[in-house]
Amino acid sequence: MKKKDVVLIIPPNDAEAILIKEIAVHLGISIIESSQLHGASLDVGHDYVKQVLDSGYKHAVVIEMPGPKSEALLRRAGVEVVIIDHHHYTGLARAHDEKGELLPSSLEQFLKLFKVTDAQLKKMGLNPHLVRGIGIQDRGYVWSLFDEGYSKREVRQVLAYMDKLTAHLRNPDTEERKQRLAQKAWTRRKKWREFWIVTTRADVQLRPRLSRIIVDEVGKPTPLIIVEHGRGLIYVQESPYALHLFERFGGFTFGLDRNWGHKNMPGQKCVTLRDVKRAIETVHRSVLSSAT
């Protein structure tokens, strides 16, 4: 692909995507930036197809913005669509390659696609170890960093770099309150089977803050069921049930297929904590039955 013929379509809504965008700018790749948050889609919010065609691009590299309708339209118009993703979505599986192997993180795929070397990253003023660390942690959080040989000090450096990349996405006037709410929710946690159940009715993004608390206070992968009532989200983390829950309820997967989430939308059947517990119990009984 000649860079002048390539456009990157990306929603810079987390550390990984922000870093991909930054590297793409250094490489001289054109960018169509989406302001959508997590759950972004090529089929929503903007006519990406028209913008790509009007600009004459021959290759569209799409970062974690599944949109089958728009993808099909681009391909029919003769544009090569390169999908970079590593998640399952309702009705759309994009976490595995054609051999059924788990895909690496989107940052890792991007670096490989454009053959970005450590020497190039250094020339951009970036630390290759931290850059690759952002990709690894997006793939499997800090546990994958430890698995890849990162020390505790290096893991803290990666997390600090992640915070630096996403600082502009957080409101410093409200962040302290959100951290306090997350800690309060964690303190009120309840045990069910191997899971800690953590819930909040506050309109706060609980999951990433809880993950940091787990790193600091537990220090190992910890099964969680997280219910964010205010945001209509429910998650199950660090669990072998993630794909079963995805098959049962839809939603999305992340973190090496060991994490599942679902956003309850108006007008659709609500997935509740009780539903998730029942589904886990069903799978558990089925496994026990097949083992006897």
Side-chain angles (χ1 to χ4, degrees), residues 131-190:
V131 168
R132 298 187 187 281
I134 292 294
I136 293 166
Q137 74 81 30
D138 193 272
R139 172 179 13 115
Y141 199 49
V142 300
W143 323 121
S144 285
L145 286 167
F146 287 126
D147 289 343
E148 296 276 349
Y150 282 67
S151 67
K152 288 183 179 179
R153 182 180 63 85
E154 290 171 324
V155 168
R156 286 195 294 270
Q157 290 174 338
V158 172
L159 292 176
Y161 186 38
M162 184 171 68
D163 289 341
K164 180 181 178 181
L165 288 167
T166 58
H168 66 284
L169 299 178
R170 299 188 300 274
N171 183 342
D173 296 331
T174 61
E175 185 58 30
E176 185 178 343
R177 170 182 169 271
K178 292 174 180 177
Q179 294 288 358
R180 193 166 59 248
L181 287 169
Q183 188 66 56
K184 183 178 179 181
W186 171 245
T187 302
R188 296 197 316 262
R189 67 192 183 278
K190 296 181 180 179

Side-chain angles (χ1 to χ4, degrees), residues 28-69:
I29 298 169
S30 298
I31 297 170
I32 296 176
E33 184 175 330
S34 169
S35 60
Q36 296 179 62
L37 301 177
H38 286 152
S41 171
L42 205 63
D43 293 336
V44 175
H46 178 72
D47 193 343
Y48 299 97
V49 174
K50 184 177 186 302
Q51 187 170 354
V52 170
L53 298 182
D54 286 351
S55 300
Y57 296 114
K58 298 177 181 178
H59 314 275
V61 180
V62 185
I63 309 291
E64 295 188 14
M65 289 185 66
K69 293 179 182 178

Side-chain angles (χ1 to χ4, degrees), residues 69-121:
K69 293 179 182 178
S70 297
E71 293 162 15
L73 287 172
L74 285 169
R75 288 189 176 107
R76 282 202 293 270
V79 176
E80 180 194 18
V81 179
V82 179
I83 302 298
I84 291 184
D85 210 330
H86 60 117
H87 302 283
H88 287 298
Y89 307 92
T90 301
L92 198 60
R94 291 191 167 169
H96 299 86
D97 62 19
E98 61 277 1
K99 297 179 181 178
E101 299 292 329
L102 276 168
L103 287 165
S105 67
S106 293
L107 175 55
E108 290 169 308
Q109 292 180 56
F110 175 84
L111 294 174
K112 182 178 180 180
L113 177 66
F114 289 100
K115 300 180 175 61
V116 181
T117 65
D118 286 358
Q120 285 178 291
L121 291 173

Side-chain angles (χ1 to χ4, degrees), residues 260-271:
W260 165 85
H262 184 280
K263 183 171 180 59
N264 289 314
M265 303 296 291
Q268 298 180 7
K269 186 180 183 301
C270 183
V271 178

Side-chain angles (χ1 to χ4, degrees), residues 141 143 178-179 181-189 196-200 205-218 222 224-228 235 237:
Y141 199 49
W143 323 121
K178 292 174 180 177
Q179 294 288 358
L181 287 169
Q183 188 66 56
K184 183 178 179 181
W186 171 245
T187 302
R188 296 197 316 262
R189 67 192 183 278
W196 286 113
I197 298 177
V198 188
T199 67
T200 183
Q205 192 177 15
L206 190 60
R207 190 189 67 78
R209 295 176 175 87
L210 277 179
S211 294
R212 288 294 185 91
I213 291 171
I214 294 294
V215 171
D216 293 336
E217 297 189 14
V218 182
T222 302
L224 294 177
I225 300 177
I226 305 167
V227 186
E228 299 180 4
Y235 301 94
Q237 292 197 175

